[in-house]
Amino acid sequence: EKGGYEHFMLKEIHQQPQTLADCMRGRLSLEAPYVKLGGVDEYEKTISNAKRFIIAACGTSWHAGLIGEYLFEDLARIPVEVEYASELRYRNPIIQEGDVVIALSQSGETADTLAALELAKDKGAMLYGVVNAVGSSIARLTDAGSYIHAGPEIGVASTKAFTGQVALLTMMAISLGYKRGRIPNSYFHKLISELHNIPAKIERALRCEEQIKYIAKEIKDRQNALYLGRGFNFPVALEGALKLKEISYIHAEGYPAAEMKHGPIALIDEEMPVIVIATNRSAYDKVVSNIQEVKARKGMVIAVVTEGEKTISEMADYTIEIPDTEEPLTPLLSVIPLQLLSYHIAVMRGCNVDQPRNLAKSVTVE
Ligand code: M6R
């Protein structure tokens, strides 16, 4: 059942080239070129003319939603709000006709997400589901939607569902951006061909595993860890921190890199590992200076960089290389080493990786 892997989580991490290919199959064509999502095409007018998108989700799905916000704003110029479903449902939120509420959920059974959708439905919004579990409650309640086709996810810590959600939101943003005339032809072609290459690039990113095991040994006895990222990769920092907390029980926090000097920098000393996602071209110099600040305080820097990168590799204690791609697609690659890092740290600490203490795979009660 575990396909030769020691844990479901490890199997699911390694399945990602395949699950993402499945997620994109029939939806993406290089030749035409096109991006086709049944649910979006069916409600094209409503979705394309939406006043705004409200993304509702919990946990890892909420992190995927945050990446969705960057994607929809950048590629399709649609205003987006991302909400914790648990907060949205109790806030008497301003939701109106013309709003599209996108629910992200692996299980399709999360109680808070379902309740937020019921509320949005009453207020007249259109509901779109991005779900993994076929025929689940959220899939049935929504007006339209897209399955991510990741297959059953057994490990409590979500991995392949996260990349599936991000890939789906990326396809949605590219499709809407193109339809709304916000993406020029040449960039449209480029994004499609880069998306098409993502499964092979994930395969390459997975090759860092031996190196990750070595880094995991260095971190496994620490009490805390800080994850930093900017732009599209800020939510990946949050996700890396959540993965570490959930399965290894090491306290970790994710921050937008530039926020460090507004507080968390006070925590940095020789005991603090800082994992920096440094792949963004647009804020490269700024991330370099964040790394210098950490090193000046003797923190340990583990940097995730683009293949061939030199400057950061010389400054960081450890660098993990991932393949280059268009910036909006980098989360699909940068999250891979973070998933592996949390997995190997948890194994080394003797934790129950697939069923961490106090956690359930799907939170069907409040
Ligand atoms: O099934 P859902 O995607 O709605 O679940 C949402 C969260 O409960 C889930 O992502 C949780 O945070 C995972 N344990 C993350 O690894």
Side-chain angles (χ1 to χ4, degrees), residues 58-61 104-107 110 156-158 242-243 246 363:
C58 304
T60 286
S61 298
L104 301 180
S105 178
Q106 187 288 127
S107 62
T110 300
V156 165
S158 182
L242 178 64
K243 288 286 90 87
E246 281 189 298
V363 185

Side-chain angles (χ1 to χ4, degrees), residues 87-214:
E87 284 297 310
L88 187 69
R89 64 181 290 195
Y90 289 118
R91 239 190 27 227
N92 191 16
I94 301 165
I95 300 178
Q96 296 157 344
E97 251 175 75
D99 289 334
V100 172
V101 174
I102 303 176
L104 301 180
S105 178
Q106 187 288 127
S107 62
E109 301 297 344
T110 300
D112 284 321
T113 311
L114 261 170
L117 282 174
E118 303 270 12
L119 179 83
K121 191 184 179 119
D122 286 347
K123 291 182 181 282
M126 186 227 157
L127 310 183
Y128 198 92
V130 174
V131 170
N132 190 33
V134 176
S136 55
S137 304
I138 292 176
R140 281 181 278 122
L141 179 67
T142 41
D143 299 302
S146 306
Y147 287 116
I148 61 171
H149 298 308
E153 192 182 61
I154 313 290
V156 165
S158 182
T159 52
K160 62 177 181 173
F162 174 78
T163 46
Q165 289 164 336
V166 174
L168 203 289
L169 293 171
T170 307
M171 287 191 280
M172 234 177 133
I174 296 173
S175 155
L176 289 170
Y178 190 61
K179 285 183 179 143
R180 288 162 56 91
R182 305 294 180 152
I183 301 180
N185 256 320
S186 56
Y187 190 41
F188 182 64
H189 291 198
K190 179 82 192 150
L191 286 169
I192 288 180
S193 86
E194 276 301 316
L195 247 188
H196 180 81
N197 290 337
I198 284 290
K201 289 188 176 180
I202 292 187
E203 199 81 68
R204 244 159 71 202
L206 284 164
R207 290 190 204 142
C208 68
E209 191 159 7
E210 282 311 307
Q211 192 198 357
I212 292 274
K213 284 187 197 166
Y214 185 81

Side-chain angles (χ1 to χ4, degrees), residues 247-301:
I247 59 168
S248 74
Y249 318 137
I250 295 176
H251 170 240
E253 290 194 57
Y255 266 98
E259 273 294 303
M260 192 175 66
K261 57 182 154 314
H262 298 285
I265 197 165
L267 292 167
I268 293 174
D269 60 14
E270 59 279 2
E271 292 300 312
M272 179 67 93
V274 184
I275 296 99
V276 187
I277 305 155
T279 55
N280 304 41
R281 285 189 206 112
S282 53
Y284 183 79
D285 295 345
K286 297 192 172 138
V287 174
V288 168
S289 84
N290 289 141
I291 293 175
Q292 280 162 342
E293 285 157 11
V294 174
K295 284 315 301 168
R297 287 158 186 84
K298 301 197 165 57
M300 178 205 278
V301 173

